[in-house]
């Protein structure tokens, strides 16, 4: 983060504050129409995801959006032809907007993400290399009592992905052994 020399709040700081106020207004139902639309759309999205895959939901939403925009564009074109007006493209103001992602924004979020990843790696190293015995024992105890329940509830998915990873490892090892002269593949 860069501080301004004249101690005025940065534009991005104001934007974040404004964004937070909008979220609070949304959560407290201060604008009933906007909150209703967001809540209804979110609920519909969750219900759709419980029935269809995420790819299907994204495809249907994109198709619906495309259908609406094409219909609106055709409607405005017909309206302009009948009224003989020169309004232009109905989405011109959106087409003229710059939607590119700035390199500063990418650097900001990649730096933040990198800091979080490094923090997690350091904490895992601290726990698994027993820097603090009590913290490491806590993790061991929690793992001992939670992993069996998690495995029991999700056994099919875990076994499926374990099988995929195991097959990939065997394939890679087989390829490596095939390239090494004189190496015999292990028989199971």
């Amino acid at each position: 983060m860069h501080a301004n020399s004249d101690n005025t709040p940065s534009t991005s700081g104001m934007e974040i504050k404004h964004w937070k106020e909008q979220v609070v207004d949304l959560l407290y139902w201060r604008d009933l129409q906007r909150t209703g639309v967001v809540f209804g759309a979110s609920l519909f999205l969750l219900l759709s995801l419980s029935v269809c895959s995420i790819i299907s939901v994204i495809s249907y939403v994109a198709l619906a959006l495309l259908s609406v925009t094409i219909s609106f564009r055709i409607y405005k074109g017909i309206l302009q032809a009948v009224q003989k007006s020169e309004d232009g493209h109905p989405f011109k103001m959106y087409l003229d907007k710059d939607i590119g992602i700035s390199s500063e924004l990418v650097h900001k979020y990649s730096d933040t993400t990198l800091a979080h990843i490094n923090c997690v790696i350091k904490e895992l190293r601290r726990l698994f290399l027993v820097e603090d015995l009590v913290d490491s024992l806590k993790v061991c105890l929690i793992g001992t009592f939670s992993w069996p329940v998690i495995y029991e509830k999700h056994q099919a998915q875990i076994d499926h992905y374990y099988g995929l990873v195991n097959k990939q490892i065997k394939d890679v090892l087989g390829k490596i052994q095939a390239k090494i002269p004189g190496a015999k593949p292990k028989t199971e």
Side-chain angles (χ1 to χ4, degrees):
M1 294 192 144
H2 301 288
N4 292 344
S5 58
D6 60 354
N7 292 331
T8 58
S10 66
T11 305
S12 64
M14 284 189 237
E15 290 171 359
I16 291 173
K17 185 176 180 183
H18 180 68
W19 181 80
K20 287 180 180 178
E21 289 172 359
Q22 287 180 336
V23 170
V24 169
D25 290 346
L26 201 66
L27 294 176
Y28 283 102
W29 290 78
R30 292 186 179 136
D31 182 357
L32 291 178
Q33 185 177 10
R34 178 176 285 167
T35 302
V37 168
V38 170
F39 179 70
S42 301
L43 187 61
F44 181 74
L45 178 67
L46 289 174
L47 289 172
S48 299
L49 286 172
S50 70
V51 175
C52 301
S53 70
I54 191 166
I55 300 294
S56 297
V57 172
I58 290 171
S59 299
Y60 288 135
V61 168
L63 185 60
L65 181 64
L66 188 58
S67 298
V68 167
T69 55
I70 288 173
S71 300
F72 185 71
R73 173 79 162 91
I74 291 171
Y75 168 75
K76 287 301 243 182
I78 291 171
L79 200 60
Q80 288 173 7
V82 169
Q83 294 178 348
K84 295 185 174 52
S85 66
E86 295 294 326
D87 289 340
H89 197 287
F91 300 117
K92 179 130 179 77
M93 67 180 197
Y94 299 112
L95 290 171
D96 291 341
K97 278 190 177 183
D98 181 27
I99 59 168
I101 299 173
S102 68
S103 61
E104 293 84 20
L105 187 66
V106 171
H107 289 299
K108 174 186 166 189
Y109 285 110
S110 64
D111 290 344
T112 304
T113 303
L114 182 63
H116 288 303
I117 290 171
N118 284 335
C119 182
V120 168
I121 289 171
K122 286 178 184 176
E123 185 64 20
L124 289 173
R125 178 186 67 186
R126 189 182 77 77
L127 290 171
F128 284 100
L129 296 180
V130 194
E131 182 177 308
D132 182 2
L133 182 62
V134 174
D135 286 346
S136 296
L137 285 174
K138 288 178 190 176
V139 170
C140 186
L141 185 66
I142 291 170
T144 300
F145 284 96
S146 61
W147 283 113
V149 174
I150 292 170
Y151 179 73
E152 184 178 54
K153 287 185 178 180
H154 304 286
Q155 182 175 0
Q157 294 96 335
I158 292 171
D159 288 346
H160 171 73
Y161 288 113
Y162 175 76
L164 290 175
V165 169
N166 199 16
K167 182 182 179 303
Q168 288 290 327
I169 290 171
K170 286 181 181 178
D171 290 346
V172 169
L173 288 176
K175 289 178 184 177
I176 291 172
Q177 287 177 345
K179 295 197 184 260
I180 297 175
K184 295 180 183 177
K186 290 183 181 179
T187 56
E188 295 181 19

